[in-house]
Amino acid sequence: MVSHLMPEGDRTGRRLEADQVQPFLLESSDIRGRLLRLERVSSEILRRHDYPDPVAQLLAEMLALCGGLSAMLKYEGIFTLQASGDGPIRVMVVDVTSEGAMRGYAGFDRERLAQAVTDAGGDRPTVPALFGKGSLAFTVDQGDYSDRYQGIVALDGDTLADCLQHYFMQSEQLQSGIVLAAGRRGDGWVSAALVLQRLPEESVGEIDDEDDWRRAMVLQASCRPDELLDDGLPLNDLLYRLFHEEGVRVFEPRPLVEACRCSGERLEAVLGAMPRPEIEELKIDGAVEVTCEFCTRVYRFDEDDLERIYAP
C-alpha cells in the first residue's frame, strides 16, 4: 500500500498503530526513511528484567534502533545488534527476525553502573562511560543458504546513533541520520526511532542533492523526543508535520512483536553437544537448570532427560 500524506484531520491515509515500522520516502529528494514507536515490545521485554533506568533506557533505544535499521534491509533470517565492552554494561543484544519477532537483554555490573552514574554528575552517562572500551556489531544471518554479513564499529560516540552514523559514513559511504528516544510510561517503557538514509547511487555529488540532504537533516533534528514518544500523535501525522514541504510517501507498515526463540529442543541440542561430565558438574538438586537470558524462562533437565539426551 502506498499513500501520500495530507494535513492532520484532512487526509484519508491509514494511521500507524504502535509496534510497527512505517517506511516512507521524501519525494523531493528520494531520501528513504523509517519511523517507529515501540510500546508493547519495549514494555514486555524490559518488564521481565530488573534493569536500572540507565540500562533500561539504552536497551529500549537499541530495540528501536534495531527495528528501524532492520526495516531498511531485505533479508530472510535474523538481524542482530550486539554491543559489548569492558565497562559497567558487559553486553547488550537485540535481534529481530524477518517476520518481525524481537527480543533483547543486557548484562551489567550494578556497582560499576552506580559509579558511572555518579561520575556523570547528573547528566546521562555516555555510551563509552557505560560500555568502556568496546564495539557495536550488527549481523545479518540468513542461515545456510547465504553468506553471513557483519559490520563492526567502535563505541566511541556519545550515543548509539552517533556510533552507527559514523560507521555508515566511513565504511559504507552511506549517509544516515538517526534520532532515538526512550522513556518510562506508567509501569512500562516506550521507545522510538526516526532513520533517514541516502543510498550511494542517490548521492551524485550535485549541489542540489547536498542541499536536499542538509535540509532533511535539519528537519529531522527538529523532531523532539516528546513528539516521538507521544502516543497521542500518530506517526503519520508526525511525518507530515516534519516533512510535508518535501512531500512524504508512506508504504505498507511492518508489524513488530516481542517473541523469544528459545525452546527445550534447542537447549537439548546444546547440552547434547557438551561432554556429559561437564553437564554433571552443573547439576543442582539432581537436575540441570538453564535460564534464557532473553525471556527469563527456566528449563529444567532431570536425570531421565539427560539419559535421553545422551542416549547412544
Side-chain angles (χ1 to χ4, degrees):
M1 177 179 177
V2 180
S3 299
H4 292 80
L5 295 191
M6 300 176 65
E8 299 173 34
D10 190 28
R11 56 183 171 80
T12 57
R14 65 183 296 177
R15 290 191 168 192
L16 177 69
E17 300 293 334
D19 300 292
Q20 296 187 75
V21 184
Q22 178 63 72
F24 66 93
L25 180 73
L26 303 186
E27 294 186 303
S28 65
S29 55
D30 286 334
I31 293 171
R32 62 177 184 160
R34 300 293 185 270
L35 179 60
L36 73 155
R37 182 184 293 138
L38 300 178
E39 297 179 2
R40 291 183 298 274
V41 170
S42 293
S43 294
E44 289 175 6
I45 289 175
L46 294 174
R47 194 175 290 127
R48 293 193 178 97
H49 303 271
D50 183 23
Y51 291 135
D53 278 1
V55 177
Q57 182 168 9
L58 197 61
L59 181 54
E61 290 180 355
M62 196 163 170
L63 285 164
L65 177 61
C66 185
L69 292 180
S70 67
M72 291 284 192
L73 305 172
K74 291 182 179 180
Y75 68 100
E76 293 293 332
I78 302 168
F79 177 83
T80 303
L81 281 178
Q82 176 169 327
S84 57
D86 58 6
I89 301 179
R90 299 184 300 273
V91 63
M92 186 172 286
V93 183
V94 173
D95 64 35
V96 57
T97 68
S98 46
E99 289 76 31
M102 299 194 76
R103 61 180 188 170
Y105 83 92
F108 64 98
D109 184 299
R110 287 186 181 273
E111 291 185 2
R112 295 181 66 192
L113 179 67
Q115 186 60 53
V117 172
T118 300
D119 292 343
D123 294 327
R124 180 181 174 180
T126 64
V127 164
L130 292 173
F131 284 98
K133 185 178 181 180
S135 60
L136 177 66
F138 53 98
T139 307
V140 180
D141 189 346
Q142 303 193 85
D144 299 332
Y145 303 102
S146 179
D147 292 336
R148 190 168 180 260
Y149 173 81
Q150 185 174 67
I152 300 177
V153 59
L155 289 170
D156 293 334
D158 285 349
T159 67
L160 291 174
D162 291 339
C163 297
L164 262 297
Q165 286 172 166
H166 178 74
Y167 171 83
F168 284 131
M169 192 61 193
Q170 297 300 317
S171 301
E172 304 288 337
Q173 286 74 55
L174 183 64
Q175 289 180 302
S176 301
I178 302 171
V179 175
L180 303 173
R184 283 191 177 274
R185 177 178 295 157
D187 62 350
W189 282 83
V190 57
S191 58
L194 173 58
V195 182
L196 295 179
Q197 284 188 341
R198 186 170 67 165
L199 298 177
E201 58 265 26
E202 297 164 353
S203 306
V204 296
E206 296 179 0
I207 294 177
D208 287 346
D209 290 336
E210 292 305 318
D211 287 345
D212 287 342
W213 180 250
R214 283 193 292 268
R215 185 169 60 253
M217 289 296 94
V218 170
L219 295 172
Q220 183 188 48
S222 72
C223 183
R224 303 187 311 271
D226 62 294
E227 290 179 303
L228 278 172
L229 301 179
D230 182 4
D231 61 353
L233 176 61
L235 294 190
N236 283 351
D237 287 350
L238 177 56
L239 283 176
Y240 181 84
R241 182 180 297 181
L242 291 170
F243 302 116
H244 65 275
E245 292 184 356
E246 312 302 301
V248 185
R249 187 190 310 170
V250 295
F251 302 88
E252 188 72 20
R254 174 194 180 198
L256 296 170
V257 297
E258 181 279 327
C260 190
R261 299 191 305 279
C262 69
S263 68
E265 292 76 12
R266 290 190 179 191
L267 288 174
E268 287 186 8
V270 172
L271 293 177
M274 298 174 64
R276 180 71 182 267
E278 292 185 14
I279 298 300
E280 292 294 330
E281 294 178 1
L282 299 177
K283 279 186 177 180
I284 298 177
D285 296 330
V288 175
E289 290 190 351
V290 181
T291 302
C292 176
E293 293 179 302
F294 289 96
C295 69
T296 71
R297 179 177 177 181
V298 177
Y299 294 86
R300 189 175 188 275
F301 301 92
D302 59 21
E303 186 62 33
D304 290 340
D305 293 322
L306 294 177
E307 288 297 328
R308 174 175 50 79
I309 292 171
Y310 285 96

